Amino acid sequence: LIFIARLTRLMTTRDRLLGLTVVLLWGLNFLAIRAGLGQYPPFFFAALRFAVIAVPVLVFVRRPDVPLRWLLLYGIGFGMLQFAFLFAAMNAGMPTGLASLVLQSSAPFTVILGALLLREKVTSRQLIGIGIAVGGMVLIGWDRALGATLLPMLLTLLAGLSWAFGN
């Protein structure tokens, strides 16, 4: 909290407004997903989202200078699997606000995958953060298990894992 307090003192009003805009758009994104799932099946809606975003990117963004396999793996993990799992989870009953929160499991998953696949060193601070994140996810899962099925929670965690593979 001290870090955040110091950081906000360094931020201009413009920086704060941009940060709030990101938070607002992130939240509205999940409301739009919920509304879209009321109109379309989850996998069709995920494919539609991917196509609407991919077409302008293909037209206006130059292909990165990376091997095709890495580009395809990124697209499959971040573009396709993340949203297929997320939309399936929300369609299966994952509440909108909770979906937004549980999807952030991508952060600890990214650190763990970096250590396992890229041999990155995990610091004690990162281990503490992962422990706190996992503890929070266990509490959310426990609460969901008491009042609903765990399937939406597991699907959302798979969406977070897919996002981590994209990272």
Side-chain angles (χ1 to χ4, degrees):
L1 292 174
I2 294 170
F3 172 75
I4 293 171
R6 288 182 183 160
L7 183 62
T8 54
R9 275 189 256 141
L10 298 174
M11 295 172 65
T12 65
T13 301
R14 179 180 180 272
D15 294 335
R16 289 186 187 118
L17 289 174
L18 286 172
L20 287 173
T21 301
V22 169
V23 170
L24 178 67
L25 291 175
W26 179 257
L28 290 175
N29 175 50
F30 283 84
L31 292 175
I33 292 169
R34 175 62 64 203
L37 288 171
Q39 302 297 317
Y40 303 106
F43 296 125
F44 176 78
F45 191 45
L48 183 63
R49 180 195 183 281
F50 190 74
V52 166
I53 293 170
V55 170
V57 167
L58 290 172
V59 173
F60 296 110
V61 177
R62 188 173 49 95
R63 183 183 178 275
D65 187 26
V66 297
L68 183 61
R69 70 175 182 267
W70 293 118
L71 190 60
L72 291 175
L73 280 172
Y74 171 76
I76 289 168
F78 181 72
M80 191 174 80
L81 291 178
Q82 174 191 349
F83 290 98
F85 284 129
L86 176 64
F87 290 8
M90 291 178 71
N91 194 59
M94 187 67 162
T96 305
L98 206 51
S100 173
L101 178 67
V102 174
L103 188 60
Q104 298 312 305
S105 63
S106 67
F109 280 140
T110 299
V111 175
I112 292 167
L113 289 175
L116 294 175
L117 302 177
L118 303 174
R119 305 205 192 298
E120 293 181 358
K121 184 178 178 340
V122 179
T123 66
S124 58
R125 180 178 272 179
Q126 288 171 318
L127 286 173
I128 292 168
I130 290 169
I132 292 169
V134 168
M137 293 300 151
V138 166
L139 288 175
I140 292 169
W142 182 315
D143 179 65
R144 296 296 300 160
L146 293 177
T149 176
L150 269 178
L151 179 64
M153 174 79 177
L154 295 174
L155 289 169
T156 309
L157 287 171
L158 286 172
L161 181 61
S162 299
W163 186 359
F165 271 107
N167 288 340

